[in-house]
Amino acid sequence: MSDYNWCHGPECHEQQTQSRIRGSGDNKVLRTIKIKWGRYNYSGDEQPNVWDYFCNQRCLMDYIRTHLQSIIAIAPRREALETPIKVVKNKYESYRYDWNSDDNGATKRVPYMATKTLIKTVDNDNG
Ligand SMILES: [Zn+2]
């Protein structure tokens, strides 16, 4: 395996940046960006990173747009997935502010019971 990739963006070589200019005299070109392998691999786990294949967000999105149907065909989603959860509603005392209830122009803290909705994942082994 070489220690670099060429950016996979289909239009990488058409973007007009100084970093892409190669050649001399009248034989200049805009060239696909060369990406050093593992340039954003800070964890040291040698896992390939999306930025080992694309020089920037535009090239990544151009690639996805160009090859969308092929990419989707790799792992198509034909039905919805579901994650079992429990919904827990907790009541707690909170305050709202009444900005114009006071004759002196001061705001008033008004207590009320608020509801907090918690979504908890369910371990299938324990029901
Ligand atoms: Zn690129």
Side-chain angles (χ1 to χ4, degrees):
M1 188 173 67
S2 61
D3 62 351
Y4 67 87
N5 287 322
W6 296 107
C7 174
H8 282 54
E11 295 169 6
C12 191
H13 64 292
E14 295 170 4
Q15 296 174 46
Q16 297 182 358
T17 65
Q18 291 196 38
S19 61
R20 290 176 170 83
I21 297 173
R22 294 293 182 277
S24 61
D26 292 334
N27 295 313
K28 289 202 190 328
V29 296
L30 292 169
R31 183 181 289 167
T32 299
I33 293 281
K34 185 189 243 185
I35 300 168
K36 189 179 187 308
W37 188 261
R39 62 182 173 148
Y40 291 137
N41 183 356
Y42 302 121
S43 59
D45 59 6
E46 309 281 327
Q47 286 298 308
N49 184 296
V50 71
W51 305 118
D52 289 328
Y53 298 94
F54 299 96
C55 74
N56 62 28
Q57 190 93 15
R58 178 189 159 177
C59 284
L60 170 61
M61 293 312 293
D62 285 349
Y63 185 90
I64 291 173
R65 204 175 298 114
T66 302
H67 300 290
L68 182 61
Q69 292 308 316
S70 302
I71 295 168
I72 295 300
I74 295 167
R77 169 91 56 238
R78 295 201 167 86
E79 53 192 38
L81 304 181
E82 295 180 346
T83 302
I85 59 166
K86 279 202 168 69
V87 176
V88 180
K89 289 191 182 288
N90 287 333
K91 289 201 178 299
Y92 66 99
E93 190 170 81
S94 185
Y95 297 91
R96 64 181 175 81
Y97 290 88
D98 192 340
W99 300 97
N100 49 13
S101 63
D102 194 316
D103 289 340
N104 302 323
T107 58
K108 210 167 82 180
R109 252 163 64 110
V110 183
Y112 76 103
M113 291 307 288
T115 305
K116 184 172 196 167
T117 302
L118 290 172
I119 295 175
K120 294 187 170 181
T121 54
V122 175
D123 187 342
N124 281 328
D125 296 336
N126 300 330

